[in-house]
Amino acid sequence: MVSQSKEVPRTFLLAMLASLRKVFFSIAIASAVISVLALTGSLFMLQVYDRVIPGHSVSTLVGIGIIAATLFVFQGILELLRSMLLARVGVALDERMNEKVFGSLMLQHQLALVPGDGMQSVRDLDKVRSFLSGAGPIALFDLPWIPLYLGLCFLFHFWIGLTATCGAIVLVSLAVLAEILSQRPAAEAAKDLTARLAFAEGVRRNWEAVVAMGFVGRMTDRWTDINGAYMANQLVAANVIGTLTTTSRILRLMLQSAVLAVGAILVIQQEATGGIMIASSILVSRALAPVELAIGHWKGFVAARQSWLRLVKLVDILPAEIRSVSLPAPRSKLTVESLSVAPPGNRELVLRNISFGVSAGTILGVIGPSASGKSSLARAITGIWPASSGSIRLDQAALSQWDPSKLGRNVGYLPQDVSLFDGSIADNISRFDEQPSSESVVAAAKSAGVYDMIVKLPQGFDTLIGESGSRLSAGQRQRIALARALYGEPFLVVLDEPNSNLDTEGDAALTQALLGVRARGGIGVVIAHRPSALAAAETLLVIVEGRLQAFGPKETIIAEPVRQPLKQGAVRLKIGGEETGS
């Protein structure tokens, strides 16, 4: 499975680039024709000064004027088509990558993929698409044709060609210098931008606490520092590119004048014609325009290249989701064998050598002191966090053998930090199913004991709850999230502190929901500090400092601390109105 997961993303990227190869080839051909047609202006000037004016021939002027106008029209059409093709390349790239990028938003914390606010991959894709749709790639396609123009300058005269070549070398050196000088500040600015946006998003989510506790000023000061660091690097990058862009433009104008001066000397010495003098000046300007354009867009090129490299790395890290056989829905057992878990991106284990098994129709209560690893266990058995060692099995099949989307239909999960999505209550309960069954939505709401609360709302199940469920109370959000966990009657239901925001009525509804899971032959795992959440549990598991301290019937576990204290760090456990866990 490991080798396959690395091979498939690379195959995906190669296939994606291969599918765009014909488009890039078409753009390259169009650029070649455009580069030839761009000689129209110079050749027109050459004919006007060397034939029309000496011969006083208006008919010749009209003829070459019609030809030049036709060629200019064709050039304009080809440039428009080239721009449209580049825009289509950006759209095609987005169409092929957007599912991978969006999928990374769900997997980034699991695989420790993306720092900051987690939206870097989305911004990277936008940045690459925007660059491909702009003028930057046009300069890159035109750069290889500079030797054609320089060769024509040599055909006009050796000294004209030499002057143009020296100018081209200077401008190309400026482009290389732009690459060297802008790379580091651009990378630092991108890193600071990620931190800047992450901080802003954190303040936006927690604005109530910031305002209520009066540390708006301190947050503002910190924002000023973060924003200042970003702007400093942004300013350095902008100054570098701006300086080189201005220098290249001035040098190109000077070079154009220098070629004109060389041509004038050659005309005086009767080694060239006036037409050659004017045409070579225009030709040099056109030859070096792509270099100036490339330098002007170098900042965007560097940013797009860094974004592309991050996207390539992202696709390479994302696991393959290929399953040759779809496993049947689990029905009988959850088994945890020698499980050790570390947070993604961290080597320090938070769970060590945990082993237990529960059968269908069992409600397991997980208790222990704060920071003992209870929530980590919930994340592991739902597949959110990978196991560092050991295994988690449903009906003898390891979680890695399941297709994630199909496994998800058999798992209900209520995280400790409840978060709903902008949409209706029905959308959230049904997990945004495209064609949800009304009966299933109502059944989940009734199982969670939240049906009466929902139908009392003005729009009932169609009530829009706002971003993160902001229009609901904390207790309402938790009960709707419980209904979401119960939607579709999943086999494994994992609830992490499910009653932290519930009142007495909510506690009773939670107990009934767990009894319903047990009655239909499912498995419930309840992590709790408050004893009311454990009323339906007949089996308890005690975790202390990441290790399993006790596992067995609730009555036995409750009585055990009285007869024989647990290891150091454990606490006395009492159910029925008194404290548990810590």
Side-chain angles (χ1 to χ4, degrees), residues 60 120 216 246 259 287 373 473 513 541 563 569-571:
T60 302
Q120 184 63 52
V216 174
T246 303
V259 170
S473 69
L541 184 149
R563 300 191 311 267
V571 295

Side-chain angles (χ1 to χ4, degrees), residues 168-193:
I169 292 174
V170 172
L171 289 181
V172 171
S173 299
L174 286 177
V176 175
L177 191 62
E179 161 69 8
I180 296 173
L181 296 180
S182 65
Q183 192 169 6
R184 181 180 179 85
E188 291 295 328
K191 186 186 301 182
D192 291 337
L193 176 62

Side-chain angles (χ1 to χ4, degrees), residues 275-297:
I276 288 178
M277 177 185 68
I278 300 298
S280 60
S281 177
I282 298 175
L283 190 63
V284 169
S285 178
R286 176 62 182 86
L288 301 181
V291 180
E292 182 182 340
L293 185 64
I295 294 174
H297 289 83

Side-chain angles (χ1 to χ4, degrees), residues 150-168:
L150 297 180
L152 288 175
C153 289
F154 275 105
L155 289 178
F156 285 155
H157 196 279
F158 171 78
W159 288 110
I160 293 176
L162 182 62
T163 304
T165 302
C166 292

Side-chain angles (χ1 to χ4, degrees), residues 315-515:
V315 173
D316 194 46
I317 293 176
L318 285 177
E321 297 183 0
I322 295 179
R323 301 290 185 273
S324 58
V325 176
S326 297
L327 298 177
R331 298 293 181 191
S332 61
K333 194 172 184 179
L334 166 68
T335 305
V336 176
E337 301 172 342
S338 303
L339 176 67
S340 294
V341 175
N346 194 327
R347 296 183 178 181
E348 184 177 354
L349 296 176
V350 292
L351 290 176
R352 298 175 180 82
N353 198 29
I354 304 291
S355 297
F356 66 91
V358 288
S359 300
T362 301
I363 304 299
L364 172 66
V366 180
I367 59 178
S370 298
S372 59
K374 303 185 298 297
S375 295
S376 300
L377 177 64
R379 296 185 183 104
I381 63 178
T382 53
I384 299 174
W385 282 7
S388 299
S389 63
S391 64
I392 303 166
R393 299 180 181 274
L394 289 173
D395 293 0
Q396 306 304 319
L399 293 186
S400 59
Q401 299 177 24
W402 295 80
D403 180 271
S405 60
K406 293 182 179 178
L407 175 63
R409 297 190 189 103
N410 298 288
V411 173
Y413 178 51
L414 175 61
Q416 189 171 0
D417 297 323
V418 176
S419 181
L420 301 178
F421 296 93
D422 190 5
S424 68
I425 291 177
D427 289 335
N428 278 274
I429 292 178
S430 67
R431 310 179 186 185
F432 285 82
D433 196 338
E434 293 182 358
Q435 296 180 336
S437 166
S438 297
E439 292 78 8
S440 298
V441 173
V442 171
K446 288 184 175 180
S447 297
V450 75
Y451 176 81
D452 292 339
M453 181 202 77
I454 294 174
V455 295
K456 288 179 181 178
L457 297 173
Q459 284 78 40
F461 282 91
D462 294 325
T463 300
L464 298 178
I465 63 175
E467 184 182 1
S468 301
S470 57
R471 298 176 187 172
L472 303 175
S473 69
Q476 288 174 322
R477 289 197 297 269
Q478 195 159 39
R479 295 179 70 179
I480 290 174
L482 174 61
R484 180 179 64 185
L486 298 174
Y487 176 76
E489 297 188 345
F491 172 70
L492 176 62
V493 178
V494 181
L495 311 177
D496 191 355
E497 298 289 350
N499 62 341
S500 58
N501 295 304
L502 299 185
D503 53 15
T504 303
E505 180 184 352
D507 279 334
L510 173 63
T511 299
Q512 290 301 315
L514 291 170
L515 291 175

Side-chain angles (χ1 to χ4, degrees), residues 76-93:
I77 292 174
L78 285 176
E79 288 185 354
L80 178 61
L81 291 176
R82 180 172 65 175
S83 298
M84 294 174 65
L85 280 174
L86 283 170
R88 286 299 305 164
V89 168
V91 172
L93 174 68

Side-chain angles (χ1 to χ4, degrees), residues 94 97-106 108 113-115 117-129 194 307-308 310-311 314-315 318:
D94 189 282
M97 291 287 293
N98 76 87
E99 290 187 5
K100 295 283 186 182
V101 168
F102 184 75
S104 74
L105 300 181
M106 273 72 77
Q108 57 185 304
L113 294 178
V114 185
D117 64 343
M119 297 296 291
Q120 184 63 52
S121 57
V122 177
R123 289 193 292 270
D124 285 339
L125 183 58
D126 290 341
K127 196 169 293 182
V128 173
R129 185 187 63 249
T194 300
S307 296
W308 174 252
R310 283 193 294 266
L311 288 175
L314 175 70
V315 173
L318 285 177

